[in-house]
Amino acid sequence: MVADSRNFAKQVIEVLESSEFTDTPFVLIVEDSPTIAGILKRAFESKGYCADIALNAYDAARYFSNTKYDVAIIDYHLPDNMGDSLLDSFHNQNKDCVYLMMTTDPKPELALDWIKRGASAYIRKPFEPEYLIELCTKARRERSLLLVEDLLELRTQELKASEEKYRLLIDTANEGVWAMDNDHITTYVNKAMADMLGYTTLEMFGKKVEEFFFPEDNSFHNERMTIRHKGNDEIYERRFRHKDGSSVWTLVSAKALKDYQGNFAGSFAMFTNITERKKAEENYQILFREMLNGFALHEIICDENNNPIDYRFLAVNPAFERMTGL
């Protein structure tokens, strides 16, 4: 996910930097008048463009197929074809190029048709070359912003799909999942966690996590939160109070969440129900303490050659103590 975010940021930066025209932009001027074409070529080159001239549609098509132009200025009336036909052909080949149409025809419906077919703007002859270049600059910036909008829309869709996928995984996980904010308010809990404590997810949402503990466990909880507020993760055992008042023991894997400034923003944790294991351990301890036979658990101590030389007690029950006087 981090790598995807970095790639996305890189794409946006590249688009925005291209709108600042750090590289030499290429422009194709399609105009059947050599005089007008020459004037426009010199004007564009004075502004840092690399300009090509095509005096007819045939040459224009040939140039365009061999060069990736940033801008194409197309005259509507050409000796061998109409400019809007070139617009259609060029736009199909390169949708990132900025297209501007030139005409002496005053019909407004022509301009609307060209915009629908992919032109960014049109200009009516006669005009000052500086105005045309200004129009190109504005159109290129607008095109860059549209590309950024497209990238943002695509990224939003990708993130939404990813979020839905991971939410489905979390919602259907066997382990409990619980998230809280920096005030310890529950911001998310999955069904497994809610079922573990006898609640619905709606009943738990918006409540402080402390509401699900026994009062005598608050000191232990405060120690855990001090660690979490420092930004540290932790694995430990935690007891919860079930809705019916019984104890629910869990193995917790907790992770601290931080905001962009590195401040504590909450915590996310996964919980495994170990209540049955804790009951079994408790039953074993009762049996260990109450059995009539003496019982001792010890560890053999070996030398460097792995030969037994001693032992030490790890645990003994009361019966063993009474029998041995230890």
Side-chain angles (χ1 to χ4, degrees), residues 300-311:
I300 301 296
I301 300 174
C302 300
D303 61 16
E304 62 274 9
N305 297 319
N306 205 30
N307 295 316
I309 58 173
D310 204 348
Y311 65 91

Side-chain angles (χ1 to χ4, degrees), residues 221-238:
H221 171 68
N222 292 336
E223 293 175 3
R224 307 278 72 74
M225 289 301 97
T226 298
I227 294 173
R228 211 72 63 249
H229 277 260
K230 292 180 179 179
N232 298 319
D233 306 333
E234 194 178 14
I235 297 177
Y236 58 96
E237 293 182 0
R238 141 75 60 207

Side-chain angles (χ1 to χ4, degrees), residues 58-298:
Y58 175 81
D59 287 342
R62 182 163 53 87
Y63 289 154
F64 198 86
S65 63
N66 293 324
T67 303
K68 186 174 178 60
Y69 289 101
D70 300 287
V71 180
I73 312 296
I74 307 172
D75 188 20
Y76 179 45
H77 294 285
L78 296 171
D80 55 347
N81 204 342
M82 300 302 290
D84 48 12
S85 296
L86 275 184
L87 173 62
D88 293 337
S89 175
F90 288 179
H91 190 259
N92 287 333
Q93 295 178 59
N94 182 4
K95 289 182 171 54
D96 293 332
C97 182
V98 171
Y99 301 99
L100 287 89
M101 299 296 294
M102 300 184 294
T103 183
T104 56
D105 198 319
K107 297 177 182 176
E109 57 267 22
L110 278 177
L112 180 60
D113 181 58
W114 293 333
I115 298 299
K116 290 180 179 179
R117 293 161 80 163
S120 297
Y122 80 99
I123 189 167
R124 185 176 300 170
K125 296 179 179 178
F127 54 83
E128 291 295 327
E130 289 74 15
Y131 175 68
L132 176 60
I133 294 174
E134 182 181 341
L135 198 60
C136 288
T137 301
K138 180 181 178 181
R140 290 185 65 203
R141 292 189 186 280
E142 289 176 350
R143 176 57 55 87
S144 296
L145 291 175
L146 288 174
L147 289 175
V148 170
E149 287 182 2
D150 290 342
L151 287 173
L152 288 172
E153 177 62 24
L154 178 61
R155 183 60 175 163
T156 300
Q157 293 174 1
E158 291 175 347
L159 289 174
K160 184 177 180 180
S162 178
E163 179 183 352
E164 290 175 351
K165 179 180 70 174
Y166 286 110
R167 178 173 287 274
L168 178 62
L169 290 174
I170 292 174
D171 285 344
T172 57
N174 292 325
E175 291 79 10
V177 178
W178 199 332
M180 69 175 191
D181 63 15
N182 59 339
D183 291 322
H184 305 176
I185 301 295
T186 300
T187 57
Y188 174 80
V189 63
N190 71 344
K191 187 176 184 300
M193 189 72 234
D195 289 345
M196 198 183 301
L197 300 186
Y199 294 91
T200 65
T201 56
L202 189 60
E203 287 177 311
M204 296 182 68
F205 184 81
K207 291 186 177 179
K208 299 196 72 168
V209 297
E210 287 81 359
E211 296 184 34
F212 302 93
F213 300 146
F214 290 95
E216 57 267 31
D217 293 339
N218 284 335
S219 177
F220 176 79
H221 171 68
N222 292 336
E223 293 175 3
R224 307 278 72 74
M225 289 301 97
T226 298
I227 294 173
R228 211 72 63 249
H229 277 260
K230 292 180 179 179
N232 298 319
D233 306 333
E234 194 178 14
I235 297 177
Y236 58 96
E237 293 182 0
R238 141 75 60 207
R239 183 174 68 150
F240 286 99
R241 186 184 67 248
H242 193 276
K243 189 175 184 179
D244 63 10
S246 62
S247 295
V248 177
W249 281 95
T250 63
L251 178 64
V252 186
S253 178
K255 182 174 182 60
L257 302 177
K258 301 177 182 179
D259 59 22
Y260 290 110
Q261 285 75 41
N263 301 316
F264 177 74
S267 179
F268 175 90
M270 298 191 70
F271 299 82
T272 302
N273 193 335
I274 59 170
T275 303
E276 294 303 317
R277 193 195 79 185
K278 296 292 287 188
K279 288 181 178 179
E281 291 176 354
E282 183 178 351
N283 291 335
Y284 168 78
Q285 291 295 331
I286 293 174
L287 177 64
F288 186 73
R289 291 193 306 269
E290 302 299 329
M291 64 188 304
L292 298 178
N293 296 326
F295 184 89
L297 178 66
H298 60 271

